[in-house]
Amino acid sequence: MQRAQSNPAAADNAYRRSKTATEKDSWAIAGPAFTMLTGRFDQELIDLLPQSLKFISHNGAGYDQIDAEACANRGSTATVGFVSPRLTITVSGIAVSNTPGAVNASTANTAIYLLLGALRRAHIAATALRQGQWRGSMGLGHDPEGKTLGILGMGGIGSALAVRAAPFGLKMQYHNRNPVVHPASNLLNVQYVSFEKLLRTSDIISIHLPLNNSTKGLIGRKEFRMMKDGVVIVNTARGKIMDEEALVEALDVGKVFAAGLDVYEKEPEVHPGLIRSDKVVLTPHVGTATLETVRKMEILVIDNVRSVLEHGRLLTPVVESRKSKLR
């Protein structure tokens, strides 16, 4: 995506629009549609924003479109609220919120759809049927029963996936930065394992990690070599967590039996090898694209704005804001 740095007029327009919107109110709403116009909210764009801007309410659970560290490190003082007494708060930067929880069910449902579709290589039969060839060359797929599902990232979405996967007879394990205490993991006996053990022992690997400096490119050629032959890969998190070129190579040699993908490394571009492969079920980043989920997300965005105006703090600040004690 082209950034504002390559278009000074766009950067200036973004600054003037944000200045008008925030000099009085001290908050802004951001989302994927807006960042398609401005580019990523990186240090350059954040430096152009007015000093009165204290809060960004982001419409999405993933917030890699915003440099939350750069936001946290910018300092200013702001007065919020429309009625007396107004609140004056002095903090060290711009606080950012996202919409955790609102997307869990829909994204986990999408992961189950992709998981089952990849196990059956459903794309082959569906395409053949539309071409008047009945089943085509689909061959035999696999049942989920008895397979080991490795959940990479046991947050809200990973936990929701575990709840949905259990009735299919899948054995489950997960890896996180730290073991989690969650009713789903305890009730369903989902075992915590190391990253390497998850890669080496899972029949299916489903990715549910945020995109950040530590997860970008986490799954590459080295990691694919560790995996079991015939592994199934599902990704509904962020495309840049996985090296698509390495995935295509693993698909071509049969290391990966099939994949189910909703996210891509260079969206909206999709690697030609993935388009070409009949082993991949593809959807265009639609994990949260339901009326019910979008409504829940938008309500939480507005609730964050309301909380700022009434109480001077966000309801769901991101981890960078919490670390800097920006609420």
Side-chain angles (χ1 to χ4, degrees):
M1 180 181 294
Q2 293 295 315
R3 276 288 301 113
Q5 62 189 17
S6 62
N7 188 343
D12 183 62
N13 288 337
Y15 167 74
R16 286 190 279 102
R17 287 197 301 271
S18 62
K19 188 172 189 295
T20 301
T22 59
E23 279 183 332
K24 176 181 179 181
D25 305 329
S26 303
W27 56 267
I29 296 175
F34 187 74
T35 55
M36 288 182 70
L37 298 175
T38 66
R40 185 170 182 263
F41 269 51
D42 62 7
Q43 184 73 60
E44 180 196 11
L45 185 57
I46 291 165
D47 287 344
L48 292 172
L49 298 173
Q51 288 300 307
S52 59
L53 179 64
K54 290 307 305 158
F55 302 92
I56 296 176
S57 184
H58 175 63
N59 188 13
Y63 55 94
D64 47 284
Q65 301 96 333
I66 301 172
D67 187 340
E69 286 284 356
C71 287
N73 291 332
R74 199 193 76 163
S76 61
T77 300
T79 301
V80 301
F82 292 128
V83 297
S84 182
R86 302 179 75 190
L87 301 174
T88 300
I89 50 179
T90 302
V91 288
S92 60
I94 302 171
V96 179
S97 66
N98 62 337
T99 60
V103 304
N104 292 354
S106 183
T107 307
N109 292 342
T110 301
I112 286 290
Y113 165 79
L114 293 171
L115 185 159
L116 295 175
L119 280 171
R120 291 292 188 96
R121 288 182 176 173
H123 166 73
I124 299 175
T127 301
L129 184 63
R130 292 180 182 277
Q131 295 174 346
Q133 300 172 14
W134 194 232
R135 294 180 181 177
S137 58
M138 66 171 286
L140 296 177
H142 293 286
D143 291 323
E145 287 85 357
K147 303 291 190 298
T148 297
L149 169 62
I151 301 173
L152 191 52
M154 194 67 167
I157 297 170
S159 298
L161 174 67
V163 171
R164 287 156 174 76
F168 290 99
L170 287 156
K171 295 178 290 184
M172 288 179 282
Q173 56 188 13
Y174 76 95
H175 178 73
N176 227 48
R177 284 175 298 182
N178 300 295
V180 298
V181 179
H182 192 282
S185 60
N186 296 334
L187 180 64
L188 301 173
N189 194 31
V190 185
Q191 300 297 314
Y192 174 81
V193 296
S194 68
F195 178 56
E196 182 173 339
K197 184 174 181 180
L198 184 140
L199 295 180
R200 292 188 182 279
T201 62
S202 298
D203 300 302
I204 306 161
I205 296 174
S206 191
I207 301 170
H208 303 282
L209 296 169
L211 177 63
N212 52 45
N213 290 335
S214 64
T215 62
K216 185 176 181 180
L218 182 66
I219 306 295
R221 288 180 176 86
K222 175 185 174 183
E223 289 70 31
F224 280 115
R225 285 195 296 268
M226 292 183 187
M227 297 177 191
K228 297 174 72 172
D229 292 342
V231 68
V232 168
I233 303 292
V234 175
N235 190 5
T236 56
R238 285 294 187 267
K240 291 183 179 180
I241 294 172
M242 185 163 52
D243 181 342
E244 285 184 357
E245 183 67 32
L247 172 60
V248 169
E249 292 173 4
L251 285 162
D252 287 345
V253 301
K255 180 69 176 183
V256 173
F257 174 78
L261 306 176
D262 186 49
V263 291
Y264 306 92
E265 200 169 1
K266 298 178 181 179
E267 294 182 11
E269 297 177 25
V270 180
H271 192 292
L274 297 175
I275 298 291
R276 166 180 51 80
S277 177
D278 58 7
K279 301 175 182 178
V280 188
V281 179
L282 304 172
T283 53
H285 204 149
V286 294
T288 60
T290 69
L291 290 171
E292 295 82 2
T293 297
V294 170
R295 182 175 186 273
K296 286 188 288 185
M297 292 168 67
E298 291 177 347
I299 287 173
L300 184 50
V301 168
I302 298 303
D303 284 347
N304 269 294
V305 173
R306 181 182 292 114
S307 180
V308 164
L309 297 177
E310 294 177 354
H311 307 293
R313 63 179 182 272
L314 294 165
L315 295 174
T316 55
V318 302
V319 63
E320 293 84 354
S321 297
R322 295 198 300 270
K323 285 180 179 178
S324 300
K325 298 183 179 179
L326 301 172
R327 303 300 294 261

